[in-house]
Amino acid sequence: MSTPVIALSLALLISVIFGLRLWGRVRETESLLRSLARGEEPGPRAWSFSPELAALLEDSVRQEESARRLESQSAFNLQAVLSSMSEGVMVTDADQSVRVVNDAFRKLFDLTFDPVGGSVISSLRETVVEELVRQTFAEGQQLLREITIQSPGDSATKYLEVSAMPLTTDGQITGAVFVFHDITQIRQLETLRRDFVSNVSHELRTPLSIFHGYVENLLEDPVMPKAERREIYEIMAKHSRRLNALLEDLLTLARLESRRLEFEPVAIDIEGFLEEFTRDWRPRLSEQGLAFRVDCEPGMPPLVADALRLEQVLTNLLSNAEKFTSAGGEIVLRARPVDQLMELSVRDDGPGIPSQDLPHIFERFYRVEKARGREKGGTGLGLSIVKHIVALHGGTVDARSQLGRGTTIVVGFPLRPFISPASD
């Protein structure tokens, strides 16, 4: 064989060998890259073909893994912060679509689905929120607004204070963050305070006006006949007692609401307690032509409660029944154990309470028959005091009534050991 042919054959053989080795390295590189893409850790032999490429790939893997851990940690931190917030948070993008919300936000708007990805109006169906979003993007500055929404569950009004902050990148608004703070309870308390001040002022105005008028009469006519003076004194004494009762009830209610009243729970034998309690009530009701009956089964379990406050509850209930029961009517005081409660009820056969008034009778100063209640010397706080005392014992209150057929007020005290709030 000639020398040129041999040289050509050797060159071809070397090319084939080199090509096969190169093809093998390419296949090894492809296999290695696929392993890395699947997140697998390649063995030490996988890097033997090229230390330089191995160094580059190792550096790339480390950077990718570091970025993945940083992203995961950032997402975890963001989710942890949002989940721990009591305020609702919503983040929108430049298209004003919802990008991020937290659990408090979903609860605040009663959302049963994930609103992320949808528009504000389609997700919340609250035009006032959409208008606030548009205004934030239009003005490009932080906004603080108070809005109201209707709760879908019970149609109750919610008052929300919203802080809106646009997000900018290179001077362009790329999104916005909205923080919703529920201030419904604050607004309700403000309303209660205003109503309370108004009611107290109204209750005080009448007796004070009467005092003022009669004092002027006495000053202008110092020689007024004795009989007339006595009548004036009796009227003033009556309204003085009413004022004193009002102030006492106001103080009691204030102490109950602030939990500053000391409770002394003891084991009470209900049968003996009611017998002693009603001893003074029987002649008092009899004088007014009212029949009075106590329905109490013997052998009932003892009730752990504050005896003084229990007496106050029953006094208020019987006083109410007395006011609204005409001569010839009957009042029944009943005690019975029901499940885990000791139920005490007072029933009268008075005019009854309209259904629209029934849910409100335990509110402060609420009267069904305002003129009659004042005429009988009521303060409008009796049932509210009852509700607070029973609540502090962990019990329940209820009212049942039919027009023309009387009213029954039921209070339930737990048949279990009671811990005084004063010892908390």
Side-chain angles (χ1 to χ4, degrees), residues 273 277 281 306-317:
F273 178 86
F277 170 75
W281 276 93
D306 186 295
L308 180 62
R309 300 306 163 192
L310 179 59
E311 183 176 337
Q312 193 172 9
V313 166
L314 295 177
T315 297
N316 283 332
L317 295 183

Side-chain angles (χ1 to χ4, degrees), residues 1-13:
M1 183 179 296
S2 63
T3 301
V5 173
I6 294 173
L8 179 61
S9 298
L10 289 173
L12 289 174
L13 179 60

Side-chain angles (χ1 to χ4, degrees), residues 265-286:
V266 295
I268 299 173
D269 171 26
I270 290 296
E271 185 179 6
F273 178 86
L274 293 182
E275 182 179 352
E276 178 68 24
F277 170 75
T278 57
R279 187 170 298 167
D280 295 331
W281 276 93
R282 294 182 184 278
R284 171 176 167 175
L285 296 175
S286 179

Side-chain angles (χ1 to χ4, degrees), residues 271 274-275 278 282 292-297 331-335:
E271 185 179 6
L274 293 182
E275 182 179 352
T278 57
R282 294 182 184 278
F292 181 50
R293 179 164 56 90
V294 177
D295 184 0
C296 179
E297 298 179 1
I331 297 174
V332 178
L333 171 58
R334 185 180 186 187

Side-chain angles (χ1 to χ4, degrees), residues 207-220:
L208 291 177
S209 297
I210 291 174
F211 283 145
H212 181 73
Y214 281 126
V215 168
E216 283 188 343
N217 288 342
L218 292 172
L219 292 173
E220 290 174 0

